[in-house]
Amino acid sequence: MSWHWRLEDPAGSALDPASVGVEVPEEDNQGDAESWLGENWRELLDRGVAAVTLLEGERKVYGPMGLDET
């Protein structure tokens, strides 16, 4: 099963990663997915992503989690 992030706009709607100019990798485990987010959250926020939700396949693991640092 792959782990990946669903990107969301301020209204909570899913964003197509290509529409904001990013590629969200499908990782083999939760730790790698979380590491990717830790390295890229500022860029996502700059590109208009307001929140993310972690998925394992189609199963929601947690989120939405806001990217705003305040």
Side-chain angles (χ1 to χ4, degrees):
M1 196 66 57
S2 67
W3 295 76
H4 61 279
W5 294 99
R6 180 177 63 217
L7 309 181
E8 300 172 7
D9 67 15
S13 298
L15 288 169
D16 177 6
S19 73
V20 293
V22 298
E23 184 175 327
V24 178
E26 298 217 354
E27 303 289 359
D28 292 331
N29 60 66
Q30 183 174 353
D32 288 347
E34 290 171 339
S35 291
W36 179 86
L37 181 64
E39 296 168 5
N40 293 281
W41 72 269
R42 286 181 184 88
E43 178 184 358
L44 295 172
L45 186 60
D46 289 345
R47 293 175 179 261
V49 178
V52 294
T53 297
L54 182 61
L55 302 168
E56 180 186 21
E58 296 299 315
R59 181 181 72 87
K60 178 180 169 181
V61 178
Y62 64 82
M65 179 175 63
L67 296 181
D68 188 354
E69 54 189 318
T70 58

